[in-house]
mmCIF file of all heavy atoms in Angstrom:
data_model
loop_
_atom_site.group_PDB
_atom_site.id
_atom_site.type_symbol
_atom_site.label_atom_id
_atom_site.label_comp_id
_atom_site.label_asym_id
_atom_site.label_seq_id
_atom_site.Cartn_x
_atom_site.Cartn_y
_atom_site.Cartn_z
ATOM 1 N N VAL A 201 2.893 -16.146 -5.637
ATOM 2 C CA VAL A 201 1.457 -16.231 -5.513
ATOM 3 C C VAL A 201 0.864 -16.734 -6.839
ATOM 4 O O VAL A 201 1.583 -16.763 -7.819
ATOM 5 C CB VAL A 201 0.869 -14.823 -5.151
ATOM 6 C CG1 VAL A 201 1.250 -14.446 -3.724
ATOM 7 C CG2 VAL A 201 1.340 -13.739 -6.118
ATOM 8 N N PRO A 202 -0.411 -17.114 -6.873
ATOM 9 C CA PRO A 202 -1.514 -16.943 -5.920
ATOM 10 C C PRO A 202 -1.720 -18.104 -4.962
ATOM 11 O O PRO A 202 -2.731 -18.164 -4.283
ATOM 12 C CB PRO A 202 -2.716 -16.820 -6.853
ATOM 13 C CG PRO A 202 -2.368 -17.726 -7.997
ATOM 14 C CD PRO A 202 -0.887 -17.602 -8.175
ATOM 15 N N GLY A 203 -0.760 -19.050 -4.900
ATOM 16 C CA GLY A 203 -0.952 -20.213 -4.058
ATOM 17 C C GLY A 203 -1.572 -21.377 -4.800
ATOM 18 O O GLY A 203 -2.145 -22.278 -4.201
ATOM 19 N N LYS A 204 -1.426 -21.359 -6.117
ATOM 20 C CA LYS A 204 -1.991 -22.434 -6.951
ATOM 21 C C LYS A 204 -1.161 -23.707 -6.814
ATOM 22 O O LYS A 204 0.076 -23.666 -6.861
ATOM 23 C CB LYS A 204 -2.008 -22.009 -8.417
ATOM 24 C CG LYS A 204 -2.472 -23.111 -9.391
ATOM 25 C CD LYS A 204 -2.409 -22.610 -10.827
ATOM 26 C CE LYS A 204 -2.715 -23.737 -11.805
ATOM 27 N NZ LYS A 204 -4.069 -24.285 -11.632
ATOM 28 N N VAL A 205 -1.832 -24.848 -6.644
ATOM 29 C CA VAL A 205 -1.183 -26.147 -6.698
ATOM 30 C C VAL A 205 -1.590 -26.805 -8.016
ATOM 31 O O VAL A 205 -2.780 -27.023 -8.277
ATOM 32 C CB VAL A 205 -1.601 -27.045 -5.515
ATOM 33 C CG1 VAL A 205 -0.921 -28.408 -5.629
ATOM 34 C CG2 VAL A 205 -1.226 -26.377 -4.187
ATOM 35 N N TYR A 206 -0.608 -27.088 -8.854
ATOM 36 C CA TYR A 206 -0.899 -27.658 -10.175
ATOM 37 C C TYR A 206 -1.377 -29.108 -10.032
ATOM 38 O O TYR A 206 -0.798 -29.896 -9.275
ATOM 39 C CB TYR A 206 0.339 -27.607 -11.063
ATOM 40 C CG TYR A 206 0.666 -26.218 -11.571
ATOM 41 C CD1 TYR A 206 1.392 -25.324 -10.783
ATOM 42 C CD2 TYR A 206 0.242 -25.800 -12.823
ATOM 43 C CE1 TYR A 206 1.680 -24.045 -11.241
ATOM 44 C CE2 TYR A 206 0.528 -24.535 -13.299
ATOM 45 C CZ TYR A 206 1.246 -23.659 -12.496
ATOM 46 O OH TYR A 206 1.529 -22.401 -12.948
ATOM 47 N N SER A 207 -2.405 -29.441 -10.780
ATOM 48 C CA SER A 207 -2.936 -30.807 -10.770
ATOM 49 C C SER A 207 -2.015 -31.711 -11.589
ATOM 50 O O SER A 207 -1.173 -31.248 -12.371
ATOM 51 C CB SER A 207 -4.340 -30.832 -11.368
ATOM 52 O OG SER A 207 -4.291 -30.530 -12.766
ATOM 53 N N LEU A 208 -2.197 -33.010 -11.405
ATOM 54 C CA LEU A 208 -1.423 -33.980 -12.181
ATOM 55 C C LEU A 208 -1.659 -33.770 -13.670
ATOM 56 O O LEU A 208 -0.724 -33.843 -14.479
ATOM 57 C CB LEU A 208 -1.824 -35.405 -11.774
ATOM 58 C CG LEU A 208 -1.213 -36.547 -12.599
ATOM 59 C CD1 LEU A 208 0.310 -36.507 -12.544
ATOM 60 C CD2 LEU A 208 -1.735 -37.898 -12.098
ATOM 61 N N GLN A 209 -2.897 -33.474 -14.057
ATOM 62 C CA GLN A 209 -3.214 -33.269 -15.474
ATOM 63 C C GLN A 209 -2.483 -32.037 -16.022
ATOM 64 O O GLN A 209 -1.957 -32.063 -17.150
ATOM 65 C CB GLN A 209 -4.729 -33.111 -15.652
ATOM 66 C CG GLN A 209 -5.536 -34.370 -15.375
ATOM 67 C CD GLN A 209 -5.651 -34.721 -13.895
ATOM 68 O OE1 GLN A 209 -5.469 -33.851 -13.028
ATOM 69 N NE2 GLN A 209 -5.931 -35.975 -13.604
ATOM 70 N N GLU A 210 -2.436 -30.978 -15.234
ATOM 71 C CA GLU A 210 -1.738 -29.769 -15.687
ATOM 72 C C GLU A 210 -0.240 -30.019 -15.820
ATOM 73 O O GLU A 210 0.395 -29.596 -16.804
ATOM 74 C CB GLU A 210 -1.999 -28.626 -14.698
ATOM 75 C CG GLU A 210 -3.417 -28.078 -14.745
ATOM 76 C CD GLU A 210 -3.678 -27.058 -13.660
ATOM 77 O OE1 GLU A 210 -3.336 -27.317 -12.481
ATOM 78 O OE2 GLU A 210 -4.221 -25.977 -13.975
ATOM 79 N N LEU A 211 0.338 -30.704 -14.846
ATOM 80 C CA LEU A 211 1.772 -30.993 -14.911
ATOM 81 C C LEU A 211 2.095 -31.931 -16.069
ATOM 82 O O LEU A 211 3.122 -31.777 -16.742
ATOM 83 C CB LEU A 211 2.241 -31.594 -13.584
ATOM 84 C CG LEU A 211 2.195 -30.651 -12.377
ATOM 85 C CD1 LEU A 211 2.549 -31.401 -11.101
ATOM 86 C CD2 LEU A 211 3.155 -29.471 -12.563
ATOM 87 N N ASP A 212 1.219 -32.898 -16.306
ATOM 88 C CA ASP A 212 1.415 -33.807 -17.452
ATOM 89 C C ASP A 212 1.429 -33.018 -18.768
ATOM 90 O O ASP A 212 2.233 -33.317 -19.669
ATOM 91 C CB ASP A 212 0.298 -34.851 -17.495
ATOM 92 C CG ASP A 212 0.691 -36.154 -16.825
ATOM 93 O OD1 ASP A 212 1.890 -36.479 -16.848
ATOM 94 O OD2 ASP A 212 -0.189 -36.840 -16.282
#
Side-chain angles (χ1 to χ4, degrees):
V201 290
K204 175 182 174 62
V205 179
Y206 286 83
S207 68
L208 174 59
Q209 292 74 21
E210 289 174 312
L211 293 174
D212 264 330

